[in-house]
Amino acid sequence: MKVVILAGGFGTRISEETHLKPKPMVEIGGKPILWHIMKLYAAAGHTEFVICCGYKGYLIKEYFANYFLHRCDVTFDLASGSMQVHQNSAEPWKVTVMDTGENTLTGGRLKRVRDSVGEGTFCFTYGDGVSNVNLKDLVAFHKAHGRKATLTAVQPPGRFGAIDLKGDAVTRFHEKPQGEGAWINGGFFVLESSVIDYIADDQTIFERQPLESLALENQLRAFRHSGFWQPMDTLRDRQLLEELWSSGAAPWKTW
């Protein structure tokens, strides 16, 4: 099953990093968050990827073109112009990197890679968030209900700690509780290729008209995930993910 990953946005809320690179190339533990997402899918048996590029997309192309240089020890013979790779640790992935335009919106990016997706079922997600969602269970859930689309519903982590008050007395602290019970779209979609027909053009926001139409037609289901889910929208989010990775117990490290 192919995996389509959105990797073309400007990432303006984390501009400290994205003035130099696209947000999916911002590193966690020395590796792009895009790599972490791809590892999640590969661990579930999905190793064919379509990356939808836009802003500074050439850096994503260069990363995969020079994957050995990023991941392996090499010896360069300058006289002969040859390169020997040591301890080959390349992933068994097939990666298609496509330019979908700098100003194209989320739905438009998916529509532009229609030919690379092909027919049938595929996975689709954002290139800036990680989770420990069970992807095998997600795909099985999608196949069981028989509709055109499944999204992963999550409860976002609280940004701030909370306190209990009795009058003006503080009685208890809560460290960053889960949201307020609301479920939101956490990405990690499973879609039938016919979903792309709901997308009009480059300016279609996937989360608006296409998903709203699918919901009205009873063609959209939610896979509830109560475990770890964390987007990387801000520098603070990146620092949190870096700390989790450095601890050796990153919740999304399922491989």
Side-chain angles (χ1 to χ4, degrees), residues 227-252:
F228 178 83
W229 175 85
Q230 179 64 53
M232 190 184 64
D233 290 330
T234 66
L235 187 60
R236 177 177 179 157
D237 294 333
R238 182 200 170 277
Q239 290 169 340
L240 170 63
L241 292 170
E242 185 69 45
E243 289 168 5
L244 288 170
W245 185 263
S246 298
S247 74
W252 70 90

Side-chain angles (χ1 to χ4, degrees), residues 161-175:
I163 57 174
D164 288 344
L165 295 174
K166 186 174 182 180
D168 58 1
V170 177
T171 60
R172 186 182 176 192
F173 282 87
H174 304 274
E175 181 61 26

Side-chain angles (χ1 to χ4, degrees), residues 132-144:
N132 62 356
V133 60
N134 188 314
L135 294 169
K136 291 182 178 180
D137 287 352
L138 169 62
V139 171
F141 173 81
H142 174 80
K143 291 182 176 180

Side-chain angles (χ1 to χ4, degrees), residues 58-133:
Y58 65 92
L59 292 174
I60 297 176
K61 294 177 182 178
E62 288 180 353
Y63 176 76
F64 289 108
N66 297 310
Y67 195 79
F68 287 127
L69 298 181
H70 291 283
R71 301 283 294 146
C72 307
D73 295 329
V74 295
T75 296
F76 298 100
D77 187 326
L78 301 184
S80 67
S82 64
M83 179 181 75
Q84 180 183 0
V85 177
H86 306 285
Q87 300 172 339
N88 184 348
S89 60
E91 308 289 348
W93 300 344
K94 181 178 180 181
V95 185
T96 300
V97 184
M98 301 191 68
D99 181 3
T100 56
E102 278 205 359
N103 297 303
T104 308
L105 300 181
T106 51
R109 294 191 189 283
L110 177 56
K111 189 176 183 69
R112 284 205 185 195
V113 301
R114 177 69 176 82
D115 290 344
S116 294
V117 170
E119 300 299 327
T121 310
F122 66 98
C123 296
F124 179 52
T125 198
Y126 307 111
D128 62 356
V130 289
S131 175
N132 62 356
V133 60

